[in-house]
Amino acid sequence: MTTTPLRKDAARNWDRIVAVARDLVDEGTPLQLNDVARRAGLGVGTVYRHFATPEALLETVATPCLESLVAHGEEALADTEAGRALERFLTRTVEAQVTDASLAPVTAAPADFLPRTTELKQALWSAGEILLGRAREAGAVRADLTSADLVPLMCGVAYAVQVHGGASADRIDVAHRYLTALLQGLRTTRPDS
Amino acid sequence: MTTTPLRKDAARNWDRIVAVARDLVDEGTPLQLNDVARRAGLGVGTVYRHFATPEALLETVATPCLESLVAHGEEALADTEAGRALERFLTRTVEAQVTDASLAPVTAAPADFLPRTTELKQALWSAGEILLGRAREAGAVRADLTSADLVPLMCGVAYAVQVHGGASADRIDVAHRYLTALLQGLRTTRPDS
Amino acid sequence: MTTTPLRKDAARNWDRIVAVARDLVDEGTPLQLNDVARRAGLGVGTVYRHFATPEALLETVATPCLESLVAHGEEALADTEAGRALERFLTRTVEAQVTDASLAPVTAAPADFLPRTTELKQALWSAGEILLGRAREAGAVRADLTSADLVPLMCGVAYAVQVHGGASADRIDVAHRYLTALLQGLRTTRPDS
Amino acid sequence: MTTTPLRKDAARNWDRIVAVARDLVDEGTPLQLNDVARRAGLGVGTVYRHFATPEALLETVATPCLESLVAHGEEALADTEAGRALERFLTRTVEAQVTDASLAPVTAAPADFLPRTTELKQALWSAGEILLGRAREAGAVRADLTSADLVPLMCGVAYAVQVHGGASADRIDVAHRYLTALLQGLRTTRPDS
DNA sequence: CATGAATGAGCCTTCATTCAT
DNA sequence: AATGAATGAAGGCTCATTCAT
């Protein structure tokens, strides 16, 4: 209800554009508005009308995924076991980044192009911040881990998976292995014995 | 013996080009051969003669750093304490990546443009492989950590530091924090007595 | 009686469009129909329905001013002092061009887009022609000055003022200085006895 | 000797570009660098290398004419009859503007794109300023005429001629008529008696 | 009548690479 | 060897105009 509902034909074009962009992102092709227009069988102007910049389009592609992460973040906030809640949250985040190529660049970007993106990212990071705070209070994580580290670390894991390469089917396993190690390292160091 | 020795003036040009490229890399400017030529006060053709592609130039810029890493790897191989040796090796690698902007792209690239780069990267990874093998045998690291994970993980840490942002002076500290956690997580999980 | 009377809402839109165009002209922004539509809070189509081209809109903006010039021309025709009548007429014309940015392009254009504009321009030039004829007969102006020179000369003065630049408040003074000189030069040269 | 001499082939292209631009200017086509390239049978890049902007090209086209005006201005400075010298200078300037379509826009432009253009324009206007000063001292021109009026007035006359239209052969005559009147009006008004 | 989405020609500009000098 | 002019594909973006809703 934030935006005026689009006319039916315009909505169809909007969908087409986003679908084409989705495909391009999935096949690793950089988003170029002219290119998108050609593939969607639309005029360039149409694409520019809907998305002023490639970044705006990319963020739009990433939005559903961000929304689902936010939803998951809210669920995690309901978990009373602080350490577990944080780990689930982070795991889900990394899984998403590894699965959906649109996510990593949007997440790592220092500035957003759509207000909606900013909203979602803030919602996400504030959930992370709360979860981290609780986990720290519970003595479940290292004291030197701050909320400003969450995004970088998740991006780092996702990037590591990408550098590792390999079939996209295997990526998720690699991601789990890397994340498992990292999370283990982030837990409070118990004195041996 | 790998390359024909250059004429004295050609060698001076080669040096100039690499020095200019070094500066560009340091200031975060993307390497464009035309640009390099202009700044070096040389013709484009001269730059192309020495470096067929921007990547070749970038690899050349990164070479000294790679060489020093290889040297360090060899030293690490002399360390009898397997776990410590591996950790030192990895730490040094991450430090280098965070400190020298030419390193990350060369390290993460799936293919090399210069044979020398391939040589050095192989030397480096095989040192890593050996150190990892010893550490695993010594029971110092998780059994599921393979040598194919080393590069991705180091790149991931470096990338996380970059996403974290902040003054370049602080980067090295952030890198240490992240690496400390990761290394902790990579160690063999001891049963809590 | 030239145009079908508009429906009340259509008339309101027409007014809005012209008002917006007036503002744009005053602030020196080139008239773009899309732009006008946006600022008027109307659809592009509506603007196009009323004004087929930017020029038609511009002429509409200029119309009131042209009408007042025509009225003034008629008054001048009542003046029995031929030389003075012509000079007043020309002065008024230049003042208008310097004061109202919509006028100069319409005046200088070789072709019109609205019949009404053609009507007004013709009325104006024929007044000028008559005034010039009388002044010539009265021996008040150079014999080689023809009615085809009137528009160019007035446009030239207005253009000179524009090139001179400066605050819009000063423009009118500059215009007077330039016009004074020109009119002096157009008067019959008396032999210095 | 201000610029490095061009290579022979580059010089040929430079000439071609300027010649094409000359033609375009003469036929009243707006200068577009891509267009120029196509007509000259050259790559766009070549044109951009020589002329960074359309304005730079236009100024280059206008340069010879400006130079000849400057030369004429220097001759005029040698004339001891102050009023005549000024009038000749202005006449020559208007003739040039009417004859060469590249001149008017360059002359009227508030800012230049080539240093050479600025040089020439300054030389020209300072000649005009001196000639005007002498004429004023000699009591040959109106006291309220300042050197800041020279350019606007000349541009105004040229513009008037353009608005007048007609065959280019007749333009020069029209220009002379207009200028004659203006110069007459700029002379000191003698009391009739 | 009003709307505003769609169109796409057209312009600008950059840059990796080649090749004549 | 060195030079740097030339190339032109490629990408970006705007805007006047049309037409389905």
Side-chain angles (χ1 to χ4, degrees):
Chain A
M1 200 60 57
T2 40
T3 41
T4 316
L6 286 174
R7 242 164 51 182
K8 209 170 54 194
D9 58 338
R12 209 192 52 232
N13 286 338
W14 194 94
D15 289 346
R16 247 198 239 175
I17 293 168
V18 175
V20 166
R22 169 90 271 167
D23 290 349
L24 288 171
V25 165
D26 287 345
E27 63 187 64
T29 312
L31 275 192
Q32 300 180 167
L33 260 24
N34 276 344
D35 190 20
V36 170
R38 193 164 17 77
R39 297 212 197 195
L42 297 171
V44 220
T46 306
V47 176
Y48 271 85
R49 160 181 293 275
H50 286 294
F51 304 97
T53 63
E55 288 87 356
L57 178 51
L58 182 65
E59 291 181 8
T60 303
V61 167
T63 295
C65 190
L66 279 173
E67 285 170 341
S68 103
L69 282 178
V70 169
H72 189 84
E74 276 156 18
E75 284 173 35
L77 286 171
D79 190 333
T80 54
E81 170 81 40
R84 191 183 57 187
L86 178 64
E87 296 197 355
R88 279 190 182 164
F89 174 76
L90 296 179
T91 302
R92 191 61 149 66
T93 306
V94 164
E95 285 170 354
Q97 269 193 291
V98 166
T99 306
D100 183 340
S102 72
L103 213 54
V106 171
T107 308
D112 307 321
F113 287 71
L114 298 180
R116 178 68 177 147
T117 307
T118 307
E119 253 174 65
L120 290 167
K121 281 168 71 172
Q122 280 176 349
L124 202 55
W125 309 148
S126 83
E129 196 162 8
I130 295 170
L131 292 167
L132 172 60
R134 289 183 191 165
R136 197 189 294 118
E137 275 177 33
V141 295
R142 305 173 69 100
D144 63 355
L145 184 68
T146 79
S147 66
D149 296 319
L150 260 24
V151 175
L153 286 173
M154 295 309 99
C155 290
V157 172
Y159 184 72
V161 173
Q162 184 201 305
V163 170
H164 179 99
S168 86
D170 301 333
R171 300 246 165 122
I172 199 84
D173 295 328
V174 176
H176 280 141
R177 283 203 296 117
Y178 290 175
L179 191 60
T180 300
L182 178 63
L183 291 175
Q184 169 66 22
L186 292 175
R187 287 186 199 120
T188 316
T189 315
R190 321 267 172 77
D192 298 355
S193 96
Chain B
M1 191 67 52
T2 41
T3 40
T4 317
L6 291 170
R7 256 170 40 183
K8 207 169 57 187
D9 59 337
R12 209 192 54 230
N13 286 342
W14 193 95
D15 288 346
R16 249 199 234 174
I17 293 168
V18 175
V20 166
R22 168 88 271 166
D23 290 347
L24 288 172
V25 165
D26 286 344
E27 63 187 63
T29 312
L31 273 193
Q32 303 184 9
L33 261 24
N34 272 305
D35 192 19
V36 170
R38 190 164 24 75
R39 298 212 197 193
L42 298 170
V44 220
T46 308
V47 176
Y48 268 84
R49 162 173 307 277
H50 286 295
F51 304 96
T53 65
E55 289 86 356
L57 177 51
L58 181 66
E59 291 181 8
T60 305
V61 168
T63 295
C65 190
L66 279 173
E67 285 169 341
S68 106
L69 282 177
V70 169
H72 189 85
E74 274 154 21
E75 284 173 34
L77 287 170
D79 190 334
T80 54
E81 170 80 41
R84 191 182 57 189
L86 178 64
E87 295 196 356
R88 279 189 183 165
F89 174 75
L90 296 179
T91 301
R92 193 57 151 66
T93 307
V94 164
E95 286 170 352
Q97 270 193 291
V98 166
T99 306
D100 182 341
S102 72
L103 212 56
V106 171
T107 310
D112 306 321
F113 287 71
L114 298 181
R116 177 67 176 150
T117 307
T118 307
E119 251 174 67
L120 289 166
K121 281 168 72 171
Q122 280 177 351
L124 201 55
W125 309 148
S126 81
E129 195 162 8
I130 295 169
L131 291 166
L132 173 61
R134 289 185 192 162
R136 196 189 295 118
E137 275 176 32
V141 295
R142 305 173 69 100
D144 62 357
L145 183 69
T146 79
S147 67
D149 297 319
L150 261 24
V151 176
L153 285 173
M154 296 309 99
C155 290
V157 172
Y159 183 72
V161 172
Q162 184 202 303
V163 170
H164 179 96
S168 86
D170 302 332
R171 299 248 165 119
I172 198 84
D173 295 329
V174 176
H176 280 142
R177 282 203 298 118
Y178 291 174
L179 191 60
T180 301
L182 179 63
L183 292 176
Q184 169 66 22
L186 292 175
R187 286 185 200 121
T188 316
T189 314
R190 320 265 173 78
D192 297 358
S193 82
Chain C
M1 194 65 54
T2 39
T3 41
T4 315
L6 290 170
R7 256 171 39 185
K8 210 168 57 187
D9 58 337
R12 209 192 53 233
N13 286 342
W14 193 94
D15 288 346
R16 248 199 236 173
I17 294 167
V18 175
V20 166
R22 168 89 271 168
D23 290 349
L24 289 171
V25 165
D26 287 345
E27 64 187 63
T29 313
L31 276 193
Q32 303 184 8
L33 294 191
N34 272 305
D35 192 16
V36 170
R38 189 164 25 74
R39 297 212 197 194
L42 298 171
V44 219
T46 308
V47 176
Y48 267 85
R49 162 173 306 279
H50 287 294
F51 304 97
T53 64
E55 288 87 357
L57 178 50
L58 182 65
E59 291 181 8
T60 303
V61 168
T63 295
C65 190
L66 279 174
E67 286 169 342
S68 105
L69 282 178
V70 169
H72 189 84
E74 276 156 18
E75 284 173 35
L77 286 171
D79 189 333
T80 54
E81 169 82 40
R84 190 182 59 189
L86 178 63
E87 295 197 356
R88 279 189 185 162
F89 174 75
L90 297 179
T91 302
R92 192 61 150 64
T93 307
V94 164
E95 285 170 354
Q97 271 194 290
V98 166
T99 306
D100 183 339
S102 72
L103 212 54
V106 171
T107 309
D112 307 321
F113 286 72
L114 297 180
R116 178 66 177 151
T117 306
T118 307
E119 252 173 66
L120 289 167
K121 282 168 71 173
Q122 279 176 351
L124 202 54
W125 309 149
S126 79
E129 197 163 6
I130 294 170
L131 292 167
L132 173 60
R134 289 184 192 164
R136 197 189 294 118
E137 275 176 33
V141 295
R142 306 173 67 102
D144 63 356
L145 184 68
T146 80
S147 66
D149 296 320
L150 261 25
V151 176
L153 285 173
M154 295 309 98
C155 290
V157 172
Y159 183 72
V161 173
Q162 185 201 305
V163 170
H164 180 97
S168 85
D170 303 332
R171 299 247 166 119
I172 198 84
D173 295 329
V174 175
H176 281 142
R177 283 204 297 116
Y178 290 175
L179 191 61
T180 300
L182 179 63
L183 292 176
Q184 168 66 22
L186 292 176
R187 287 187 199 121
T188 315
T189 315
R190 322 264 171 80
D192 297 357
S193 80
Chain D
M1 198 60 59
T2 39
T3 40
T4 316
L6 286 173
R7 241 165 50 182
K8 209 171 51 195
D9 57 340
R12 208 191 53 232
N13 287 339
W14 193 95
D15 289 346
R16 247 198 237 176
I17 293 168
V18 175
V20 166
R22 169 89 272 165
D23 290 348
L24 288 171
V25 165
D26 287 345
E27 64 186 63
T29 312
L31 275 191
Q32 301 180 166
L33 260 25
N34 277 345
D35 190 20
V36 170
R38 193 164 16 77
R39 298 211 196 194
L42 298 171
V44 221
T46 307
V47 176
Y48 270 84
R49 160 182 293 275
H50 286 293
F51 304 96
T53 64
E55 288 87 357
L57 178 50
L58 182 66
E59 292 181 7
T60 303
V61 168
T63 294
C65 190
L66 278 173
E67 285 169 341
S68 101
L69 282 177
V70 169
H72 189 84
E74 275 156 17
E75 284 173 33
L77 286 169
D79 190 333
T80 54
E81 170 81 39
R84 191 182 58 189
L86 177 64
E87 295 196 358
R88 279 190 183 163
F89 174 75
L90 297 179
T91 302
R92 193 60 150 64
T93 307
V94 164
E95 284 170 355
Q97 269 192 291
V98 166
T99 305
D100 182 339
S102 72
L103 211 55
V106 171
T107 309
D112 307 320
F113 286 71
L114 299 180
R116 177 69 176 147
T117 306
T118 306
E119 253 175 65
L120 290 168
K121 281 169 71 173
Q122 280 177 350
L124 203 54
W125 309 147
S126 82
E129 197 162 6
I130 295 170
L131 291 167
L132 173 61
R134 288 187 192 162
R136 197 190 294 119
E137 275 177 31
V141 295
R142 304 173 68 102
D144 63 356
L145 184 69
T146 79
S147 66
D149 297 318
L150 261 24
V151 176
L153 285 173
M154 296 307 98
C155 289
V157 172
Y159 184 72
V161 173
Q162 183 201 304
V163 170
H164 179 97
S168 85
D170 302 332
R171 300 247 165 123
I172 198 86
D173 295 329
V174 176
H176 279 140
R177 284 203 297 117
Y178 291 174
L179 191 61
T180 300
L182 179 64
L183 292 176
Q184 170 64 25
L186 293 175
R187 288 186 196 117
T188 316
T189 314
R190 319 266 172 79
D192 297 356
S193 93

